[in-house]
Amino acid sequence: MRTQELREFSPRKTPVQARSGVTVEAIQEATIQVLLEHGRERLTTTRVAERAGVSVGTLYQYYPNKRALLFSALEQHLSRVGDAVERACREQLHQPLEPMVKGVVEAFVDAKMERTDISLALYSIASELDGEVLVRRIGTRGRNALATMLETAPGVRFENVQFTVMMMFAAITNATRAVLESGASPKMVRMLRRELVLLCHGYLACSGTPKLE
Amino acid sequence: MRTQELREFSPRKTPVQARSGVTVEAIQEATIQVLLEHGRERLTTTRVAERAGVSVGTLYQYYPNKRALLFSALEQHLSRVGDAVERACREQLHQPLEPMVKGVVEAFVDAKMERTDISLALYSIASELDGEVLVRRIGTRGRNALATMLETAPGVRFENVQFTVMMMFAAITNATRAVLESGASPKMVRMLRRELVLLCHGYLACSGTPKLE
DNA sequence: GGATTAGATGAAGAAAGCTTCAGGTTTGGA
DNA sequence: TCCAAACCTGAAGCTTTCTTCATCTAATCC
């Protein structure tokens, strides 16, 4: 499954000359734009190509099929966010709960808000069959990093870290989504950051039990 | 938009005889089954009809088009959940925070778990263009009920109830979704209930400020 | 029991979109 | 300058799916 998936979605040709590099980037950007403007239902390869200023044939030289196009967009975005979260978790090892939460929330929200248009556009394709796989894969990566981090928190122990992390992760991702979908004004984003820290920290404080070192 | 939407999605014919009532129910059930088995991408009207044991023509006598079929399924489910939440909120007016949270969480989780297959199947179509509208509409209903309830909590005041509720709502819905998507074993569901109460109550306790009556 | 209405059928028309491929253009090195 | 490789084009084939409608069967009422 894994190999087949890679074969089905891997690019046909890697850009060599500069112009094709430009072309691929134009296609990627056009994918997002079309997704935002017309929605997933009405995203067609022809329309994406048109928007990118190239012909359909060109699109098919770099992506073996339509799903690969969407898959690639989602993959790029998700791994960027996943990396940011993992990095934040690594940096907060052995810190007290509060900075841990703050670091992770900050990293996640920042990563999502860097390109709000991309984040928004991709929600709709994340529910596609192949998208789900990616979301789950990267989600697991993030949750594992979170769990590992939490276990190093001094003075606290969690009964079931996996579950606790799942709850926290669900809250963080969906609250961020809600803010994105309601416009993501700077004020909203500021509130989101603050309230997410409150929520997660409050939860962890209730959920964890004191531990004697 | 509202009228047109109603026209486009409203049934063509209302069942009169008993046998057609059975037919419509079979179609509704088949929709869920096909959604679960094949996914939204490969849900076709022909397949649904086949699964329901009727012909396509019959399906089209009760639903003007494919989207109406999905819309109807989602609508039924969402309003059932929405009603449950509204009822719970009404019942907990003027109660302390803890029972409020408990009541709402219980009601929501119960409603979602009553038919886990339906809940699961519908996530994929909630992101359809028309689905989003419904989700938002019912979501707003739920959030308003929650806000109204919270404002009657004795001894607490919230700076920005709307935002607080949005956070809580996002956490509740997505944590439930995560549990559903990972199988929703009875043990998991029990933990979900408990942890959601912890999370929400912890958050509200941190977020609210004491109020002198 | 005959007429009227409700319900069911499924082949076929129509539309839409994905993908290919034969042939053209541009680039860059020899 | 010339050629091979990289790149681009877009009309057309192919497939898939939605939706209709002429026709048939079953139920209901008088």
Side-chain angles (χ1 to χ4, degrees):
Chain A
M1 168 75 204
R2 177 98 181 109
T3 324
Q4 206 165 31
E5 181 185 288
L6 284 180
R7 179 142 310 139
E8 186 180 352
F9 291 153
S10 59
R12 292 186 151 160
K13 175 193 286 190
T14 357
V16 174
Q17 302 175 0
R19 59 176 168 158
S20 62
V22 172
T23 299
V24 171
E25 265 174 50
I27 293 175
Q28 288 173 342
E29 188 62 31
T31 305
I32 303 296
Q33 299 304 330
V34 171
L35 214 43
L36 272 171
E37 256 180 57
H38 302 274
R40 184 205 49 211
E41 293 272 276
R42 300 175 356 130
L43 179 147
T44 69
T45 48
T46 314
R47 200 165 299 182
V48 170
E50 194 178 8
R51 175 78 187 226
V54 300
S55 75
V56 228
T58 299
L59 189 154
Y60 277 89
Q61 279 197 314
Y62 300 101
Y63 299 92
N65 52 54
K66 182 185 168 183
R67 283 158 69 201
L69 185 68
L70 300 176
F71 190 85
S72 143
L74 188 59
E75 184 168 43
Q76 239 188 307
H77 175 71
L78 285 184
S79 25
R80 205 172 52 76
V81 176
D83 288 349
V85 170
E86 276 188 339
R87 194 170 338 109
C89 285
R90 240 180 292 119
E91 282 170 2
Q92 308 297 333
L93 288 171
H94 302 288
Q95 298 291 307
L97 275 187
E98 177 115 30
M100 273 186 174
V101 168
K102 207 163 177 176
V104 171
V105 165
E106 214 92 319
F108 182 83
V109 174
D110 282 351
K112 276 288 185 191
M113 297 302 166
E114 195 175 309
R115 278 288 301 268
T116 52
D117 60 341
I118 295 187
S119 301
L120 260 176
L122 292 179
Y123 281 127
S124 65
I125 63 167
S127 65
E128 220 103 321
L129 210 56
D130 319 309
E132 300 264 26
V133 175
L134 256 187
V135 171
R136 204 157 309 164
R137 192 182 304 164
I138 309 278
T140 303
R141 249 182 63 193
R143 284 196 298 276
N144 285 342
L146 263 168
T148 307
M149 177 186 76
L150 281 185
E151 306 227 274
T152 73
V156 205
R157 221 180 62 74
F158 296 95
E159 210 64 53
N160 186 337
V161 202
Q162 293 299 323
F163 200 90
T164 304
V165 162
M166 192 210 70
M167 296 285 299
M168 217 171 89
F169 199 74
I172 294 177
T173 52
N174 208 32
T176 304
R177 176 172 182 163
V179 167
L180 273 165
E181 286 180 341
S182 68
S185 66
K187 187 182 159 198
M188 277 281 238
V189 176
R190 235 177 302 126
M191 289 177 78
L192 173 67
R193 262 190 258 268
R194 195 191 53 205
E195 297 289 303
L196 265 183
V197 172
L198 267 183
L199 183 143
C200 293
H201 185 252
Y203 174 50
L204 292 179
C206 291
S207 173
T209 54
K211 171 180 72 173
L212 317 178
E213 291 294 314
Chain B
M1 167 77 202
R2 179 99 181 106
T3 324
Q4 207 165 27
E5 180 184 290
L6 285 180
R7 179 143 311 138
E8 185 180 353
F9 291 152
S10 59
R12 293 187 149 161
K13 174 194 287 189
T14 356
V16 175
Q17 302 174 2
R19 59 176 168 155
S20 63
V22 172
T23 299
V24 170
E25 266 174 49
I27 293 175
Q28 287 172 342
E29 189 62 31
T31 305
I32 304 294
Q33 299 304 331
V34 172
L35 215 42
L36 272 172
E37 256 181 57
H38 302 274
R40 184 206 48 212
E41 292 272 278
R42 302 178 351 135
L43 178 148
T44 69
T45 48
T46 313
R47 205 172 310 222
V48 170
E50 194 177 7
R51 174 79 187 225
V54 300
S55 75
V56 228
T58 299
L59 188 154
Y60 276 90
Q61 278 197 314
Y62 300 101
Y63 299 92
N65 51 53
K66 182 186 169 185
R67 283 158 70 200
L69 184 68
L70 300 175
F71 190 86
S72 142
L74 188 59
E75 183 169 42
Q76 240 187 307
H77 175 70
L78 286 183
S79 24
R80 205 172 52 75
V81 176
D83 288 349
V85 169
E86 276 188 338
R87 192 170 340 107
C89 285
R90 239 179 292 118
E91 281 169 4
Q92 307 298 333
L93 288 172
H94 302 289
Q95 298 291 308
L97 275 188
E98 176 117 29
M100 274 186 175
V101 168
K102 207 164 178 177
V104 170
V105 165
E106 215 92 318
F108 182 82
V109 173
D110 283 350
K112 277 288 184 191
M113 297 302 165
E114 195 175 309
R115 278 289 302 270
T116 53
D117 60 340
I118 296 188
S119 301
L120 259 176
L122 293 180
Y123 282 127
S124 64
I125 63 168
S127 64
E128 220 104 322
L129 209 57
D130 319 309
E132 299 265 26
V133 175
L134 256 187
V135 171
R136 203 157 310 164
R137 194 183 303 164
I138 308 278
T140 303
R141 249 183 62 194
R143 284 196 298 277
N144 285 342
L146 263 169
T148 307
M149 177 186 76
L150 281 185
E151 307 227 272
T152 73
V156 206
R157 221 180 62 75
F158 296 95
E159 209 64 52
N160 186 338
V161 203
Q162 293 299 323
F163 201 90
T164 304
V165 163
M166 191 210 70
M167 296 285 298
M168 217 172 89
F169 198 74
I172 293 176
T173 52
N174 208 33
T176 303
R177 176 172 184 165
V179 167
L180 274 165
E181 287 181 341
S182 67
S185 67
K187 187 182 158 198
M188 276 282 239
V189 176
R190 235 177 303 126
M191 288 178 77
L192 173 68
R193 261 190 259 269
R194 193 192 54 205
E195 297 289 303
L196 265 183
V197 172
L198 268 184
L199 184 144
C200 293
H201 185 250
Y203 174 51
L204 293 180
C206 291
S207 173
T209 54
K211 173 180 71 174
L212 318 178
E213 291 295 313

